[in-house]
Amino acid sequence: MKKFLMLLFCLAALNCAYAAVNPCDINDPCNAALKPVTLNLDWWLPRHNAVLERNRQGNVNIIMVGDSITHRWEDAGKDVWQKYYASRNTVNMGFGGDGTQHVLWRLEHGEVNNINPKLAVLMIGTNNSNRNDYTAEQIAEGVKSIICQLRTCLPNTKILVLGIFPRGDARQRKDKALLEASYNPQWEKNDTANKIISKVADNKTIYYLNINKKFLTKKGKLTRDIMPDLLHLNQKGYEIWAKAMEPMIVKLTGGKK
């Protein structure tokens, strides 16, 4: 009997250790990454209004939420988008320059109203890692707040959270003679945020996927052959992204491209 009780205790402890973190459990009122604001760019509000208009038309099966890396599916990634996502009725909700605070504003102002997609793909946070404005923990809290908002507004939608992609820092990006970026403090900050973010995955409604190694050389370097400015993907990079994400897209939506 004593051994049986010890076994139950161990199993309970194990379950607690692997329980997903509640993304809505946020307790940092001073964190600006949690405070919804607009981005002061001429095209930003018109793009927001265009997303609202697209969603009014209905037939939204997948949404992709993020910053310029998602936005540029419409540019460097447009051919790959056509191949993988256009036929799936996917809406691009990527806005160049966005941090977590800007995505929160967009969600609070209607971008997920009156839609019921099968899947929301989220990749955000790299713009918050610039300079020393936010710690890794604050970035992760901002991402968690977005996940909370998505889960609350879209209760029937699966959420696929991607780890923030590897990147060059300001010095590496500026040095055009530098053909690759090695691990740097900004990249490390994003990795730390990723580790925190990954804990919200319950593999029922919220899933986490880190495909960052797909973009790196065997020596762990990020090359301009994948990200010409050591931040944004080219067509080759978008193809890598799509192929790496495809098994999860199929699993969570129940259908191939």
Side-chain angles (χ1 to χ4, degrees):
M1 183 66 178
K2 189 175 181 180
K3 289 183 178 179
F4 177 71
L5 291 174
M6 284 297 294
L7 178 61
L8 287 179
F9 176 80
C10 290
L11 288 173
L14 188 63
N15 286 335
C16 288
Y18 286 95
V21 171
N22 182 355
C24 300
D25 185 13
I26 296 168
N27 298 298
D28 186 359
C30 296
N31 183 2
L34 305 175
K35 298 178 180 178
V37 293
T38 59
L39 191 59
N40 188 25
L41 295 171
D42 291 344
W43 56 265
W44 196 88
L45 280 175
R47 181 171 176 82
H48 166 68
N49 290 328
V51 169
L52 298 182
E53 178 57 33
R54 166 62 186 88
N55 288 348
R56 287 189 198 102
Q57 297 169 20
N59 202 21
V60 177
N61 288 332
I62 301 174
I63 60 173
M64 292 200 185
V65 183
D67 50 39
S68 57
I69 299 170
T70 299
H71 192 160
R72 291 189 183 199
W73 278 111
E74 299 173 8
D75 184 10
K78 63 183 180 180
D79 291 340
V80 185
W81 179 277
Q82 283 297 122
K83 178 180 176 182
Y84 283 87
Y85 308 118
S87 64
R88 286 168 158 158
N89 298 310
T90 307
V91 176
N92 187 330
M93 296 183 185
F95 284 50
D98 269 15
T100 57
Q101 64 274 28
H102 307 111
V103 173
L104 286 167
W105 187 95
R106 294 195 279 118
L107 297 183
E108 289 188 3
H109 288 78
E111 287 194 10
V112 290
N113 288 3
N114 302 312
I115 59 173
N116 187 31
K118 293 181 180 178
L119 178 65
V121 178
L122 174 65
M123 206 276 287
I124 191 68
T126 199
N127 289 323
N128 295 89
S129 71
N130 292 323
R131 302 175 297 278
N132 296 313
D133 296 346
Y134 302 94
T135 65
E137 291 75 18
Q138 288 173 323
I139 295 168
E141 290 286 279
V143 177
K144 284 168 58 182
S145 184
I146 295 168
I147 297 167
C148 175
Q149 187 91 331
L150 289 170
R151 192 180 69 175
T152 302
C153 296
L154 302 172
N156 299 316
T157 299
K158 298 288 195 303
I159 302 168
L160 176 59
V161 186
L162 295 176
I164 304 168
F165 287 172
R167 59 167 296 158
D169 62 17
R171 180 193 63 81
Q172 292 168 333
R173 295 185 64 209
K174 186 176 180 180
D175 185 357
K176 298 299 190 293
L178 192 66
L179 299 181
E180 59 186 21
S182 56
Y183 204 59
N184 58 71
Q186 190 170 10
W187 183 344
E188 182 181 18
K189 183 194 288 189
N190 286 342
D191 270 358
T192 301
N194 286 340
K195 290 175 183 177
I196 300 170
I197 295 162
S198 70
K199 295 177 181 178
V200 305
D202 59 12
N203 296 320
K204 297 176 182 176
T205 301
I206 305 168
Y207 298 77
Y208 176 78
L209 178 65
N210 190 316
I211 63 171
N212 291 0
K213 288 184 179 179
K214 300 287 186 180
F215 299 119
L216 307 179
T217 67
K218 292 180 179 179
K219 294 183 178 180
K221 301 293 181 68
L222 178 67
T223 71
R224 293 187 186 272
D225 184 49
I226 300 295
M227 296 184 184
D229 64 354
L230 300 178
L231 175 61
H232 297 102
L233 300 165
N234 56 17
Q235 182 172 342
K236 181 178 179 180
Y238 280 104
E239 186 72 39
I240 292 170
W241 180 359
K243 286 181 178 179
M245 190 166 60
E246 182 63 13
M248 284 297 289
I249 297 282
V250 171
K251 174 183 176 180
L252 299 179
T253 63
K256 296 183 178 180
K257 63 179 183 296

